[in-house]
Amino acid sequence: MEARRVEMQSSSMHSTRGRPEGSRPITYLVMIMSKAPTRDTYLELQSAYDFFNNTLFENRLPPCLITLQREKHTYGYFSSNRFVERSAGDFTDEIAMNPSYFGIRTIEESLSTLVHEMTHLEQQHFGKPGRGRYHNKEWGKLMLRVGLHPSNTGKPGGKMTGDQMTHYIISGGVFEKACAELITTNFTLSWIDRFPPIRPSAPLLMPKGINGGDEDEDEDEDDYTSGYSTLSPEPPAFTLVFPVDGKETRTKYVCPLCQTAVWGKKNLVLLCGSCESKPSFVVSKKKSGIDQDI
């Protein structure tokens, strides 16, 4: 957002009649919204989806809902029929992207995650997905066709099938060429996380005078495992769940001698360790601000 000073005259001063000689126009400070991060981010992801759908998938993939999710150790995921339109009842799939990694991976790498999930969407609609999270051979062939090589390690030689899979970009492949074409159109992922989950090998591009702070200075990088793209389980058939009044799930117990109170599930038999005679706790019910034994 930027501020601009704009000189304007009030309606009573449109004519020179009655205006003191030499008077000056009124100056207003006008705040102009020059950036819209939400709009920019989703337009960029949608334009990338449309571009790859046209260049890599023959424009046959249906629309989906692209979301931003901070799933731990995950670059992205696909979920079939995750959303339903409130009025018409139409379903749509979800492709989730993790924005935490946008600043520490190249744009090409981030977009390869998008295409990875697009192959899951393709298989869901035109093929036979594996059970649950399993990435099967058919999916692997779809990945190779778009220039991404399945690998559970993200490197050559890794397994091409399994529950947890990532990939690497095939040098000179169709994805690499298509991505290069897209990026030459001044495409970018404009907004990046200032506090990524791992310390980047190179400094993040930050405006002058801004830094990422030192919140992660003591973070143990050995605890981090490589991010995987995961295929989430298919959600159950759409069911509209209405909220219900909350019910107390814990019971309050009170020692009749020292009034020590504890909470737990119903029908517990508890003895007070603070009192010498070790009396049994009794159930207490709070009513109108008064604890009443029942």
Side-chain angles (χ1 to χ4, degrees):
M1 185 168 63
E2 60 179 314
R4 296 181 184 175
R5 293 189 178 276
V6 181
E7 290 189 347
M8 302 176 63
Q9 291 183 350
S10 65
S11 58
S12 62
M13 298 178 66
H14 284 326
S15 66
T16 58
R17 185 175 60 183
R19 190 176 71 186
E21 185 176 354
S23 63
R24 303 177 62 183
I26 301 174
T27 301
Y28 294 92
L29 187 64
V30 181
M31 305 305 292
I32 300 176
M33 292 296 296
S34 59
K35 296 179 180 178
T38 300
R39 178 200 63 198
D40 296 345
T41 299
Y42 280 94
L43 281 178
E44 288 165 356
L45 291 173
Q46 184 62 56
S47 65
Y49 181 93
D50 294 339
F51 176 83
F52 289 123
N53 190 16
N54 181 56
T55 57
L56 301 179
F57 296 91
E58 300 176 345
N59 210 32
R60 70 173 185 159
L61 300 188
C64 70
L65 183 53
I66 300 174
T67 65
L68 297 178
Q69 305 285 349
R70 294 178 181 273
E71 191 77 16
K72 191 174 182 181
H73 298 170
T74 302
Y75 292 146
Y77 65 79
F78 167 80
S79 184
S80 172
N81 286 340
R82 189 57 183 255
F83 293 94
V84 63
E85 187 180 9
R86 189 188 302 271
S87 58
D90 296 329
F91 293 96
T92 193
D93 305 314
E94 175 189 22
I95 286 181
M97 298 286 289
N98 192 338
S100 300
Y101 296 97
F102 286 176
I104 53 180
R105 301 176 76 205
T106 65
I107 293 177
E108 183 184 53
E109 289 171 337
S110 293
L111 292 178
S112 74
T113 295
L114 176 63
V115 172
H116 177 129
E117 307 309 339
M118 290 172 73
T119 62
H120 283 305
L121 188 150
E122 179 183 31
Q123 186 182 35
Q124 183 67 38
H125 288 270
F126 305 105
K128 295 181 179 179
R131 49 114 184 112
R133 295 171 179 260
Y134 189 73
H135 298 64
N136 60 20
K137 291 182 179 180
E138 180 189 70
W139 170 81
K141 292 179 180 179
L142 295 176
M143 287 280 284
L144 292 172
R145 186 176 61 82
V146 297
L148 300 178
H149 199 294
S151 171
N152 70 324
T153 64
K155 299 177 182 179
K159 294 181 180 180
M160 293 180 60
T161 59
D163 285 340
Q164 289 186 315
M165 293 296 296
T166 183
H167 63 266
Y168 60 88
I169 299 170
I170 298 174
S171 179
V174 290
F175 169 79
E176 187 178 68
K177 293 177 180 178
C179 192
E181 179 184 348
L182 175 62
I183 293 176
T184 59
T185 64
N186 295 322
F187 174 89
T188 189
L189 296 174
S190 301
W191 295 92
I192 61 175
D193 195 335
R194 293 177 56 210
F195 306 102
I198 57 174
R199 192 174 292 109
S201 57
L204 295 178
L205 179 61
M206 293 292 180
K208 187 176 181 180
I210 300 295
N211 60 65
D214 57 2
E215 282 83 352
D216 61 351
E217 284 299 314
D218 297 326
E219 182 176 317
D220 185 359
E221 291 184 18
D222 292 334
D223 289 339
Y224 173 79
T225 58
S226 178
Y228 287 101
S229 172
T230 60
L231 178 64
S232 66
E234 183 174 346
F238 174 69
T239 303
L240 185 60
V241 180
F242 294 91
V244 296
D245 293 334
K247 295 183 179 179
E248 183 61 48
T249 58
R250 298 187 304 166
T251 299
K252 182 179 180 181
Y253 300 86
V254 177
C255 173
L257 298 182
C258 67
Q259 299 300 306
T260 297
V262 296
W263 285 260
K265 62 182 181 180
K266 293 182 179 180
N267 302 321
L268 291 179
V269 178
L270 305 173
L271 300 178
C272 182
S274 300
C275 298
E276 186 175 349
S277 61
K278 299 187 184 305
S280 297
F281 278 76
V282 294
V283 176
S284 175
K285 182 178 181 182
K286 189 173 183 179
K287 185 176 181 181
S288 301
I290 301 175
D291 285 342
Q292 295 183 336
D293 295 338
I294 57 174

